[in-house]
Amino acid sequence: MPFALDRRSALKLGISATASWAISRTFGATTSAFAQEVRPLSFQLSWIKSIQYGGFFAGVDQGFFKKFNVDATFVSGGPNVDPIGNVASGQSQLGDRPIGPLIVARDKGIPIKVIATVFQKSPYSIISLAKTPIKSPQELKGKTIAVPTSARPLLLYMLSNSGLKADDVNIVPAAPDPTALVSGQIDGYCGYITNQGVMLKSRGVDIYAINTQDYGLPETTVTIYGREDFLAANKTLVVNFLKGAVQSHAWALAHPEDTAKLMVEKYGAPGLDYQAQLTEIKESKPYIEFGIAATHGLLALDVPLFDKMINVYRTAGIVKTDMKSADLCDASFIDLALST
């Protein structure tokens, strides 16, 4: 029970009102220090529960979030889920997305802010078969390339930067499964080397991949964001969540076998393959530890990089406003999490 001493009791004991106030403050602070409240926080994943989120679930399993008084729950995403809509409406307090949809959402006036990112460099690549490799954007000429509809403007931007015209390449919609590459229906597939690339490798398919960031399309993935008003009103909670997330991802990268096992046996969506999950987390490591993460710590924000990404989207005709990185990002949360 918290220590309480009202004015009447204090006077009976011969204690001044000022002294009783000081005692109450002292014991109140002590009680608070010993019984810090564990606060819930809901996190909306942009995709199903799999190894790309292994760092988060390792944190749940190892108690890293509870260590910082956060009861973190992670809500599954998927093809029929609107992750940004769920965060913007308050169904979840934080979420993750590749940076592209977040730039578009902010450009449209949705009041979200990026506060951290797991993948400092996107594994997004143009994947081809090793026997017929596409080794540069220039080699896309005359080829049939599958690309998600949302990424089409960015591919056109890259083509233009490489001296190609839109009609130099036959662009078709991409399915989630890259099987069409194996059957020869397409020459190249735009997807994640850590996801579709691993999918193909696990089937015994030899592939070749070029990373789109190396050709002028910088991107971050598992980019963490929240609604502005929630972030402003809950800074301590959000910083504590990020502290737990940093330690969680460090543990996961250091224990890939254990993390893959956790996802297959305990936390992941049904039907995950252990070997594929293990391969994916191992291949993800250099993308997570890339760039600013190597100097400032995991999940850090490279704010100037976000200005570059916004400019690419503006040049590609996707961003319509004069938005800058300061409008999109708030690095104070992860900076504080990494410094304390």
Side-chain angles (χ1 to χ4, degrees):
M1 177 181 295
F3 182 89
L5 187 65
D6 62 26
R7 184 174 182 275
R8 181 177 296 176
S9 299
L11 292 175
K12 284 182 179 180
L13 293 172
I15 302 173
S16 70
T18 301
S20 70
W21 175 84
I23 292 171
S24 296
R25 283 294 296 264
T26 300
F27 278 87
T30 302
T31 302
S32 175
F34 281 102
Q36 292 185 25
E37 180 184 6
V38 176
R39 295 183 60 189
L41 188 147
S42 174
F43 189 103
Q44 175 65 63
L45 303 172
S46 66
W47 195 241
I48 64 170
K49 296 177 181 180
S50 59
I51 198 66
Q52 66 178 318
Y53 302 121
F56 292 127
F57 289 103
V60 172
D61 198 74
Q62 297 296 309
F64 290 121
F65 293 110
K66 289 287 181 66
K67 173 183 176 181
F68 295 104
N69 301 305
V70 179
D71 181 14
T73 56
F74 295 89
V75 181
S76 181
N80 299 315
V81 175
D82 179 5
I84 296 176
N86 288 352
V87 173
S89 66
Q91 292 183 46
S92 288
Q93 290 76 54
L94 299 179
D96 87 281
R97 287 293 278 150
I99 190 58
L102 298 177
I103 290 175
V104 171
R106 183 71 200 197
D107 188 58
K108 291 180 177 178
I110 297 176
I112 56 172
K113 285 275 192 178
V114 168
I115 58 170
T117 191
V118 176
F119 284 76
Q120 302 290 345
K121 180 178 181 180
S122 174
Y124 198 70
S125 304
I126 299 174
I127 304 169
S128 55
L129 298 179
K131 63 183 180 181
T132 53
I134 297 171
K135 296 184 177 181
S136 70
Q138 288 79 10
E139 293 186 13
L140 291 170
K141 187 172 183 177
K143 303 291 198 305
T144 298
I145 306 299
V147 59
T149 302
S150 61
R152 181 186 174 96
L154 296 176
L155 181 65
L156 293 176
Y157 169 86
M158 189 174 70
L159 293 177
S160 177
N161 276 1
S162 303
L164 298 177
K165 301 187 295 295
D167 58 5
D168 285 333
V169 180
N170 180 28
I171 300 174
V172 298
D177 191 304
T179 302
L181 185 64
V182 182
S183 64
Q185 298 174 59
I186 58 176
D187 303 299
Y189 180 95
C190 293
Y192 293 99
I193 192 66
T194 53
N195 189 330
Q196 287 87 5
V198 168
M199 193 183 299
L200 290 167
K201 290 179 182 179
S202 68
R203 298 171 185 172
V205 179
D206 291 330
I207 62 173
Y208 188 93
I210 57 173
N211 186 274
T212 56
Q213 182 158 323
D214 296 336
Y215 293 93
L217 291 180
E219 185 191 39
T220 59
T221 59
V222 190
T223 308
I224 301 172
Y225 67 100
R227 202 169 71 180
E228 278 189 281
D229 57 351
F230 173 80
L231 296 173
N234 296 275
K235 188 147 194 172
T236 298
L237 172 62
V238 175
V239 169
N240 284 343
F241 171 83
L242 292 177
K243 287 180 180 179
V246 169
Q247 292 192 10
S248 301
H249 282 83
W251 188 92
L253 293 178
H255 302 85
E257 292 84 2
D258 293 333
T259 305
K261 187 175 180 180
L262 284 175
M263 295 311 297
V264 171
E265 297 182 357
K266 191 171 183 180
Y267 295 106
L272 296 179
D273 176 75
Y274 171 77
Q275 194 57 49
Q277 297 289 284
L278 177 60
T279 302
E280 183 170 338
I281 191 172
K282 287 183 175 180
E283 294 209 5
S284 297
K285 182 178 170 69
Y287 296 97
I288 294 172
E289 296 179 338
F290 183 82
I292 195 171
T295 55
H296 290 67
L298 297 180
L299 278 65
L301 279 184
D302 185 353
V303 176
L305 179 65
F306 284 84
D307 272 319
K308 293 180 181 178
M309 290 186 281
I310 292 169
N311 287 334
V312 167
Y313 275 68
R314 184 176 292 113
T315 304
I318 301 172
V319 167
K320 309 297 184 182
T321 69
D322 62 352
M323 176 175 59
K324 298 178 176 60
S325 61
D327 303 310
L328 178 68
C329 304
D330 186 344
S332 65
F333 294 89
I334 188 60
D335 287 349
L336 191 57
L338 290 171
S339 65
T340 57

